[in-house]
């Protein structure tokens, strides 16, 4: 791996300001199967040590002014952007997304550190008119304390950044446990955090192959005030159960099953562009990917033809190679899920329009299937891969009912131009986020999160601070 700064390829865990070696686990490049690094496999005792250190360090970090925390975060942001090429290369190697997309993730992750560094100066409380003549009421906002984070492989930089940024801005400390598949983006962030002056213990990265045990420890440890997690709903449910014993605060960004609706009055070229990014960004491995595409009967054939042409132009390959648009799937299990969803849909009457073939390794052809029945698995389960299923509908009422027929409610998208319809559909979709005439909604300035079994809380925007702050009500009496 060719880096301008080879020290960013860090294989050690970062615990309380110290780089930790020990037993290791291998990290492989999903495009080639090659081992790219052997990374410290932290024990649960190491996790406990990081939590203990975070508990001590948090007090001094919270005692700094918002402006002081902001200055450190600004420096961290600047260092991440200066290292964007190297961080993108590391991310591409461990996760597989094409280099341009990986560098885009670095900028996206860094934008949260920039945004919340600014928010650190604006943690405003309240004064409330007293309820009795001698009373004065003040509401403070204080940091919740130590935060334990478990993050996924699909955005190994941004999913840490989107959590650690509001946490540090609020005055919390943070112990991150990245996915076993993609720890190197996290350790590289720790290298730059140390250089930026984030104090020892305020941000630690415990790399290991012990996900369940680490989650159990974070949920049970009384020094951890809060868990923040991005990943499957299945694991989110486990963490909620485990956190119940200590009433652990939870921020959960979980699975999705985004509907993508195309109405008769849509701009079809725009809708195709939107479908391409909503479906095939990160090779379909995002929680907000369009999982099912509903097209109104009047434009179904025209849209299918345009979309098929766009999908056929995608170029799967090694993300480091020029012109590659689509990387490998993360592992064999991901390929199996895609194949299962495809064969299930075809067995129920769907038709493969383009793609449909495994390409060797964990590469899979970007695929369009049409005439998908509502009973197909792709209609109800998150595919997390490059299959675009088209489902025809007739009426607005019908498609909103179909769209909402899911236990998930993270993102939804639709293309239409009639203003009354735009408002009806936007208000009718049971999701936390709606893209209207756009397929890309993720930004640090807006509240990202879902309803139903897609999670709890919001990340990004001014609302993103709330999950890391506690309200304290002061009632002063005897004032006359
Ligand atoms: N909402 C989102 O953005 C994401 C959703 N998903 C959904 O989840 C499905 C499976 O993907 P997968 O990566 O397996 O997602 P998981 O939810 O299994 O993994 C997400 C993170 O949780 C960790 N983890 C796994 N089991 C536990 C546990 N019992 N306690 C605590 N932490 C745990 C994983 O560790 P490790 O990987 O080291 O085992 C990883 O760091 C995907 O197909 C997709 O549907 C997945 C990723 C992101
Ligand atoms: O977890 C994910 O898939 C990310 O949240 C997707 S996004 O933030 O890049 O849209």
């Amino acid at each position: 791996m060719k880096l301008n700064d080879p020290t960013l390829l860090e294989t050690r865990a970062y615990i309380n300001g110290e780089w930790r070696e020990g037993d290791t686990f291998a990290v492989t490049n999903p495009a080639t199967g090659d081992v790219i690094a052997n990374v410290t496999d932290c024990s649960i005792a190491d996790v406990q040590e990081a939590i203990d250190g975070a508990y001590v360090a948090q007090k001094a970090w919270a005692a700094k002014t918002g402006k002081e925390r902001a200055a450190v975060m600004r420096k961290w942001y600047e260092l991440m952007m200066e290292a964007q090429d190297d961080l993108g290369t590391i991310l591409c190697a461990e996760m597989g997304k094409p280099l341009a997309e990986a560098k885009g993730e670095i900028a996206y992750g860094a934008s949260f550190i920039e945004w919340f560094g600014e928010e650190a100066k604006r943690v405003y409380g309240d004064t409330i008119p007293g309820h009795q003549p001698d009373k004065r009421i003040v509401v403070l906002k204080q940091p919740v304390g130590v935060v334990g984070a478990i993050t996924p492989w699909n955005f190994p930089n941004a999913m840490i950044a989107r959590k650690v940024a509001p946490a540090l801005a609020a005055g919390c400390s943070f112990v991150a446990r990245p996915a076993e598949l993609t720890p190197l983006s996290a350790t590289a962030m720790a290298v730059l955090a140390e250089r930026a002056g984030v104090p020892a213990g305020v941000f630690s990265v415990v790399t290991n192959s012990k996900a369940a045990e680490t989650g159990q420890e974070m949920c049970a440890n009384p020094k951890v005030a809060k868990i923040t997690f991005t990943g499957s709903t299945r694991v989110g449910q486990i963490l909620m159960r485990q956190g119940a014993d200590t009433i652990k605060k939870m921020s959960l960004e979980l699975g999705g099953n985004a509907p993508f609706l195309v109405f008769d009055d849509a701009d079809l070229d725009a809708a195709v562009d939107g479908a391409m990014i909503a479906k095939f960004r990160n090779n379909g491995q995002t929680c907000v990917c369009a999982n099912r595409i509903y097209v109104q009967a009047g434009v179904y054939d025209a849209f299918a033809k345009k979309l098929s042409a766009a999908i056929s132009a995608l170029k799967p390959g090694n993300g480091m190679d020029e012109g590659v648009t689509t990387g490998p799937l993360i592992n064999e299990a991901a390929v199996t899920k895609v194949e299962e969803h495809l064969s299930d849909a075809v067995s129920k009457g769907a038709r493969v329009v383009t793609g449909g073939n495994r390409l060797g390794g964990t590469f899979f052809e970007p695929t369009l299937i049409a005439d998908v029945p509502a009973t197909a698995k792709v209609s109800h389960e998150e595919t997390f891969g490059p299959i675009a299923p088209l489902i025809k509908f007739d009426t607005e009422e019908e498609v909103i009912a179909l769209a909402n027929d899911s236990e998930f409610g993270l993102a939804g998208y639709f293309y239409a131009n009639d203003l009354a319809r735009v408002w009806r559909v936007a208000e009718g979709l049971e999701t936390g986020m709606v893209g209207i005439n756009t397929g890309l909604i993720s930004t640090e300035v807006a509240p990202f999160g879902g309803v139903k079994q897609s999670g709890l809380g919001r990340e990004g925007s001014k609302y993103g601070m709330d999950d890391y702050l506690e309200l304290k009500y002061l009632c002063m009496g005897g004032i006359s």
Side-chain angles (χ1 to χ4, degrees), residues 149-152 156 160 176-184 186-187 205-208:
I150 296 174
T151 53
I160 291 175
R177 189 274 173 182
E180 179 182 355
L181 293 170
T182 54
L184 298 169
T187 55
V205 175
V206 287
T207 53
N208 71 20

Side-chain angles (χ1 to χ4, degrees), residues 15 34 79 94 100 114 140 177 194 203 206 245 292 297 305 389 396 438 454:
I15 297 176
D34 297 338
L79 291 173
E94 68 172 355
E114 179 192 38
L140 303 180
R177 189 274 173 182
E194 184 181 42
F203 175 55
V206 287
D245 292 342
R292 44 211 170 111
K305 187 177 179 187
E396 187 181 301
T438 181
S454 286

Side-chain angles (χ1 to χ4, degrees), residues 65-71 74 115-124 169-170 465:
T65 65
K67 191 170 182 177
E68 288 169 328
R69 291 196 295 273
R74 178 73 200 182
W115 171 280
F116 284 103
E118 294 157 357
E119 289 297 286
K121 306 175 196 173
R122 298 175 182 83
V123 181
Y124 298 136
M465 289 291 282

Side-chain angles (χ1 to χ4, degrees), residues 96-164:
K97 67 180 71 172
L99 183 58
E101 210 170 322
K103 288 162 67 174
E105 181 183 337
I106 301 305
Y108 176 53
S111 73
F112 289 95
I113 295 172
E114 179 192 38
W115 171 280
F116 284 103
E118 294 157 357
E119 289 297 286
K121 306 175 196 173
R122 298 175 182 83
V123 181
Y124 298 136
D126 247 334
T127 59
I128 296 172
H131 54 298
Q132 293 170 349
D134 73 322
K135 298 294 186 298
R136 301 296 181 270
I137 295 175
V138 171
V139 178
L140 303 180
K141 286 185 179 176
Q142 294 184 311
V144 296
V146 174
V147 177
I150 296 174
T151 53
W153 48 265
N154 63 336
F155 288 84
N157 172 288
M159 290 308 98
I160 291 175
R162 194 162 78 182
K163 299 168 186 306
V164 70

Side-chain angles (χ1 to χ4, degrees), residues 150-154 177-181 208 211-212 215-216 229-235 238-239 242 253-256 286-287 337 382-384 410:
I150 296 174
T151 53
W153 48 265
N154 63 336
R177 189 274 173 182
E180 179 182 355
L181 293 170
N208 71 20
Q216 175 59 45
F229 170 73
T230 292
S232 63
T233 294
R234 176 187 72 84
V235 174
I238 292 171
L239 294 171
Q242 291 176 171
E253 294 293 344
L254 306 177
T286 91
C287 60
K337 189 173 188 183
E382 193 172 36
T383 303
F384 237 61
L410 191 56

